[in-house]
Amino acid sequence: MAVPMPSKRRSLVVQTSMDAYTPPDTSSGSEDEGSVQGDSQGTPTSSQGSINMEHWISQAIHGSTTSTTSSSSTQSGGSGAAHRLADVMAQTHIENHSAPPDVTTYTSEHSIQVERPQGSTTSRTAPKYGNAELMETGDGVPVSSRVSAKIQQLVNTLKRPKRPPLREFFVDDFEELLEVQQPDPNQPKPEGAQMLATRGEQLGVVTNWPPSLEAALQRWGTISPKAPCLTTMDTNGKPLYILTYGKLWTRSMKVAYNILHKLGTKQEPMVRPGDRVALVFPNNDPAAFMVAFYGCLLAEVVPVPIEVPLTRKDAGSQQIGFLLGSCGVTVALTSDACHKGLPKSPTGEIPQFKGWPKLLWFVTESKHLSKPPRDWFPHIKDANNDTAYIEYKTCKDGSVLGVTVTRIALLTHCQALTQACGYTEAETIVNVLDFKKDVGLWHGILTSVMNMMHVISIPYSLMKVNPLSWIQKVCQYKAKVACVKSRDMHWALVAHRDQRDVNLSSLRMLIVADGANPWSISSCDAFLNVFQSKGLRQEVICPCASSPEALTVAIRRPTDDSNQPPGRGVLSMHGLTYGVIRVDSEEKLSVLTVQDVGLVMPGAIMCSVKPDGIPQLCRTDEIGELCVCAVATGTSYYGLSGMTKNTFEVFPMTSSGAPISEYPFIRTGLLGFVGPGGLVFVVGKMDGLMVVSGRRHNADDIVATALAVEPMKFVYRGRIAVFSVTVLHDERIVIVAEQRPDSTEEDSFQWMSRVLQAIDSIHQVGVYCLALVPANTLPKTPLGGIHLSETKQLFLEGSLHPCNVLMCPHTCVTNLPKPRQKQPEIGPASVMVGNLVSGKRIAQASGRDLGQIEDNDQARKVRTEFLFLSEVLQWRAQTTPDHLLYTLLNCRGTIANSLTCVQLHKRAEKIAVMLMERGHLQDGDHVALVYPPGIDLIAAFYGCLYAGCVPITVRPPHPQNIATTLPTVKMIVEVSRSACLMTTQLICKLLRSREAAAAVDVRTWPLILDTDDLPKKRPAQIYKPSNPDTLAYLDFSVSTTGMLAGVKMSHAATSAFCRSIKLQCELYPSREVAICLDPYCGLGFVLWCLCSVYSGHQSILIPPSELETNPALWLLAVSQYKVRDTFCSYSVMELCTKGLGSQTESLKARGLDLSRVRTCVVVAEERPRIALTQSFSKLFKDLGLHPRAVSTSFGCRVNLAICLQPHRLWTLVEQGTSGPDPTTVYVDMRALRHDRVRLVERGSPHSLPLMESGKILPGVRIIIANPETKGPLGDSHLGEIWVHSAHNASGYFTIYGDESLQSDHFNSRLSFGDTQTIWARTGYLGFLRRTELTDANGERHDALYVVGALDEAMELRGMRYHPIDIETSVIRAHKSVTECAVFTWTNLLVVVVELDGSEQEALDLVPLVTNVVLEEHYLIVGVVVVVDIGVIPINSRGEKQRMHLRDGFLADQLDPIYVAYNM
C-alpha cells in the first residue's frame, strides 16, 4: 500500500525548487561538508564479489515493519558491483569485502522495490490520486474525491498490525495510563566476564625530548632558524608563505612582549600571566595563528582559539560569547585581514556580538608590534600544571564548554603522539584539518614543533576548489604523513580521474581524524581500493579516535608489516541497540561494520564503563563509554566544577563496588569496547545517543543508513541532521536533510519513503519526522558542518521552514493509553434514594419562580391583560405614543433611524394591509422577512402579527457573495413553506438579478413584496389569535454541525420569554440597552425585535456588520448613551479585541468611558470563551470597564435562552438584583474525556478553565441527565443539560435532513426519579455545581457549566473529545496559527489551521501541531491541512462551521497551502 503523498499548493512547489539557491558548497568551513564542484559519479574499479541483489532485497522486505512503497527509477550505467550499506561516504560503486551492502542498491538489471507485506504478499495497486475512483470510506459511504482517496490509503496503511501490544503501565496521574515499555524477554544480554583495564605501552624516556614545548621552539628557532616550519597555500594551490622556525621564534617573542607590555598601562597591564585571551583567526591563515598561539605560551597567558564570527547572528556564536565571558576574556588576538573583515558599525567600531563580552581587538602582524628590548627574554620553564590552552567544545544542547589543558598534559600528549606515530625530525606532514582544535591542532601546530617537522597546511577554501589538492601536495613534497577526514578521502575519490601522475608511496601514515565514525570505514576501504595502484599501502591508513576531554584516545600505529590486516568487527545492529556486542555475518543488512582505531595511547590506561548510572566496568561483550587515565588529557571544564567532577574525576568500579584505580579516569564521550589484542573499537558518541523505547540508537548510524538510500544524489552528504525530541515521555527520532534544488516533489517523497523503510528494516526503529529543507538553509558550524542543536531549536520553535515533511506518529508512538471501554451503567434501583444519586445531590437547579416575583402596576397589567405581543404594542401606542423604542445607528455612530411606539404601530398596520391585499394571505400563512439588520425588520415582524401571519426572519444574501449565501436564503424560504417573501427594494432587485439566477432557480421564489412602497390605508381590524398556544413565529438557524433547524415559538412562549428576560435584566421604560447582535435567530432576535415592545425600554441597535468599517462603533455608542446594559456576540468581542487593541489610548482621548456599564452579556450557544472574555475585560479595564461586568448567556435550539447573567456591581434597592459573581472552575481535561468532572487547582497539568454560563433565567428548571440511559445524574457529574420552562420552543418546524430527532428533543422524560415532568433536551453536555455563593433570597447559587455540544464532540479511542480543546492547544503551538478547526473522518483526526505568514512557514506547523495534540490530548493527528486566513467558515454568531469545513475538505474545495498525511 503506497503512502499518500502530501499535496502542496503549486506556488509553494515553485518557490522551493528554484535553482536560485546558492550552491551549497560556498560555505566557509570544512566540517563534514557536502559535495564538491563537478561532483561526478566515481567509476567502480572492481566488480568482483558481485552479489545477487534479489537476495538482499528479499531480506530488506521481510525484515521490515513500517510500510511504504516506492520504486526508484532504474539507474543506468551501474555495474554488477553491489553497493554496500556502509559505503556511506563514497558515492562511488566501489566493491570492498568488509562493508555490508547498500540497502536499496540497484544493479542495472532491475529497479529496486522495497515493499512491505500487507499481511499477505500480494501487492495491491494504489488508488490513483488525480481521478480517484469511487471508493468506499471507512463508514461504507461512497466518496469520490482526491482527498478521500488519499485518506483511504492512509486508513489502509494504518490497519496493518502494529508492534505487539505491551502489558504494563505507569500511571500518568489519572486513569489514562500511558503504556510503559516492557523489556523484550528475548533481548540480548551481555554474558562475558568483567573487562580488565587495558594499558598502553610505556611512554618512552627519550633523552633529547625538550622539557617544555616553548623550550623546543627556542631550540629549533636558534639552532635551525632556516628550517621550514609551516607552508601555507593560496586558493590556486601555490605556496603563499613559508614560516621558518627562526621567524616563528622571533615573532612569537614579539607577540608575547606586546601582549604583556603594550596593553593597558605599566602600572595596570590589561593582560597578566595566567589570563585568558581569545584567538580569532580565519581557516586560511595558519601562520598568524601559530605565531599568536606560541606568543601566548611564551607570555604564559592562556589562548582560547575560537572561530571567526562572520555576522552578529552566527549559529552558536552566542554560546561562544558565553564561554569567553565565563573565561574572563577581554582581549582578542586576530590577523590584519581578519580584523578588516569583521562586521563594523557606521563609526568603524567592531560591534559587540550577541552574548559576547566587550573585547579589545589586537592585531598580531609584526608591522603593528613594537620590538622587544634587547634585554627582554621570555621566561621558559619546564612544563608544569598551569593551564596551557583552552579548547572549546559544543555540547549536544548547543552550549559551549572550555576544556583546559595543562602545560604538562600538552607536552606529554605531544610525546605520546610522537611515539605512537613514530615522528622524526624534519619530516613533512600535510594537514587538511582545522588547525585551531582537535587532531589538526595536536599534530599540525604542537607535535610538529616538538619534532621540528614541516607542515603543509591545506585550507578548506582550496579543498573546495580542488579536492585533490592534498594528494597533489603529498606527491609534490614527498610527505611522510597526512592528516585528513573521511570527507577529504571521499572528495579525492570523486575527483581523482582528472589526475594522471599520482604517487602516494612516500606516505608512511595517513591519519584519519574521524576514523571512529561508523561510516569512515567505507571511505578508507574505497580510498585504498582506488589508490593502491598509485603506491598507497594498506598499513598506511591509520584511523584515530579523539575527544576534546581526553585528547587522542587511540590511534592505529603505522606498521611495516603489510600482511597483518587491520581489525574489523561486524556487529549486529540489534545487539548494539541493547548495548551488547554480537558478531554477525556480513550477509545481513542490519549489521554495523567497524574498524579498529588502533591501540591505547602510550602511557595511558583504558576501560569502558556503563553509559548511565554509576561508572561500573562493562563486561567484555558490552558497549560502554570509554574512559582513560593518563597525564595527556584535559583537566577540567573551565569554571564548571560540578560538570568537571562528573567527566574528569571518574573512578570506575568493579561489580563488587571497588574502584579499579586510585587515579581518576576521564570520560571520553565515545561509546565502544576494547577488542582482542587490545584494539580499540568505537561504535558511536554519547552526544549522538538517542534512547527510543529503551533501545539505544546512534545518530551517526541513522545518518549512514539515510545516506545509503538511492538516489544518493538526492541530498547533500554532510548536510543531514539527526536528533531526538521528547514527545509523550519518550524520545522520537527526527531527520532533517537539505535537498538539492533540482529535485521534484515526487523525487523527494520517494526518497523519504525509502529512508523510512531502510531505517525501519535496519535499525528496527520508527522515524517520527523526516523533513527536507531547501539547499543551504540549515544553520552551519564555522567549518560548514550542520549546527545540530541550532537545527533542533529551529525545528522545535517552528522556524526551520522545510519544503517537505513526512511525519510517522502512527508507527512510532506505541505508548498511548489504552482505548477506553465503556462500562455498563448501574441500574436505577441501586442508585435512586430520595434526592441522592450514589451519595450525591441530584444535579438540578432552577431560576427564580415567576409566580412569586412582584411586578409594579404597569408590568402587572402587561402580564395579566395582554397574552399577545401585538396587544402590548397597541396598548403602548395608545398610552405612550411618543415614547422612543428603537434607535438604529450607522457606521459613523449617528442615528440612521428611530421608532416611537406609535410610529411602529402605524407602520405595522400598513404592512398588515399590504399582506392581506397584495399578498392575499390567510391567517396562519408563513412569511419570510429578508431584511438587513434594522428598523424595517421590526416593523415587518409586527405587521405579520397584525395580519395573523407567521414571520420567519432570514439573513439577506451578501451582495459580494451571492453564490454561497443565496442558496441558504432559498433553502430557509422553502423549508419554512413561506407563502410570501417581504424585503426592501434593493434586496428585491438582488433576488431577481443575473447573479442570483446563476446561484438558484429564481422562477421558484414565492410572491415577493417590497415594503419600501406601502399602502396608505389602515386595516379594518387587527388580528387577534384565538389561543395563546398557536404559532407566533418560526426561528430558523444553522447549527454548528451544519443542520438547518427551525423551531416553533408559540405566543405564550414568546410572552413568557420576554417576561423572564425583563425580570432577569430589570428592564423598564426608563432604561436604555445597547444591542450589537444579528437579529435573525435565538436570543439576538428576541432582544432586537421583541423585548423593547414588551418591557418598554429603549433599544439602541448597532448592526454588527457596521463594526467592520468602524470597530469602535459599539463601545463609543455604549459610552455616548451612558448605557448600563449591553449585549454582543463573540465575533463582535473578537473584532473589538483585535481591532482596538492598540487604540485604547486614542479612544480614551476621544472620551470613551465604559465605567457605567454594569452588564455586558455575550449571547452564545456554546461553552463560554474564557480567554476572549478575559482579554476583552483586561484590554478595556483602562477605559473604565469593570472586570465583573462581562458575562455570557447560554441558549440552544430547544430553549433560546436558559441562562443570562446580568452581574451586579452594586446592590440596588429592588429586590433580587444582587446576583452572585460568575465562578470559574478548573477541571481535569483527561477526566472530561471519560465523561467525568474532576476539579483541580488552577495551573495544574491538563487543567481546563470553565466559566459558568450565566444565571438561570426565572421560570427555568434544569436537570443533568445521562444522554444514553436518560437517568438523572449527581452534582458535578457530566451529562446532557435538560430544560423545562414556559418559554421552551414547542417543537421543530422541520429539521432539514433528519426527521427522527424531533420526537424526544422536546418531550423527554427521565427513566427513573421524577418521571412525570416533560423536559426538552438541549444536546449540550455540562454539569451543575452548587457554589458557596448565595443570591438575594439567601439561596445557595447553582452554577451551570456548559462543556460542549454532543453533535460536535468526537469519539476517538473510546473517549469523548471536544473540538475546542484540541483547537485551543493547536492555536498555542505556533505564532502563525490564527485559527484552527478539527473534525474526524473515518476515525482519523483532521486538523485544519489557518496560517498568518508566508507559505514557507506552512510545513513548520505540521510537526508542532502533531506534537501538541499528542502531548496534551494523547491523540495522533491523521491529517494536517494548512490553509489561508478566512478559509474556516464562521457563522454570524462567531461559531466555527466544522461540518461545512469537513465537506469542503472531502470535496477538495479548500485550496490548501499544504496537506500532510501523518503515517
Side-chain angles (χ1 to χ4, degrees), residues 815-882:
N815 62 335
L816 283 173
K818 284 211 165 141
R820 170 187 174 207
Q821 265 86 44
K822 293 241 171 88
Q823 299 302 322
E825 291 293 326
I826 306 164
S830 60
V831 178
M832 190 73 194
V833 185
N835 251 12
L836 290 181
V837 179
S838 54
K840 289 210 173 187
R841 198 180 70 82
I842 274 196
Q844 58 184 9
S846 50
R848 292 176 294 164
D849 188 350
L850 282 171
Q852 298 169 354
I853 303 170
E854 285 308 306
D855 293 320
N856 57 18
D857 297 344
Q858 204 184 10
R860 191 177 302 116
K861 184 170 178 128
V862 172
R863 177 161 66 88
T864 50
E865 289 187 22
F866 309 123
L867 291 172
F868 305 106
L869 266 179
S870 51
E871 297 177 311
V872 180
L873 178 56
Q874 291 164 54
W875 170 71
R876 288 204 187 279
Q878 283 161 8
T879 53
T880 54
D882 298 328

Side-chain angles (χ1 to χ4, degrees), residues 1115-1154:
L1115 295 177
L1116 285 167
V1118 166
S1119 165
Q1120 181 189 337
Y1121 289 94
K1122 304 184 171 45
V1123 168
R1124 291 172 62 184
D1125 302 289
T1126 180
F1127 295 86
C1128 71
S1129 64
Y1130 280 123
S1131 31
V1132 165
M1133 195 169 261
E1134 195 157 27
L1135 213 99
C1136 291
T1137 314
K1138 284 185 178 158
L1140 305 175
S1142 53
Q1143 299 177 29
T1144 45
E1145 286 309 311
S1146 62
L1147 289 172
K1148 207 172 195 168
R1150 283 168 70 183
L1152 182 70
D1153 174 22
L1154 301 177

Side-chain angles (χ1 to χ4, degrees), residues 428-442:
T428 305
I429 173 172
V430 170
N431 180 30
V432 191
L433 305 173
D434 177 9
F435 51 78
K436 296 190 291 298
K437 54 189 287 213
D438 211 69
V439 181
L441 171 70
W442 306 331

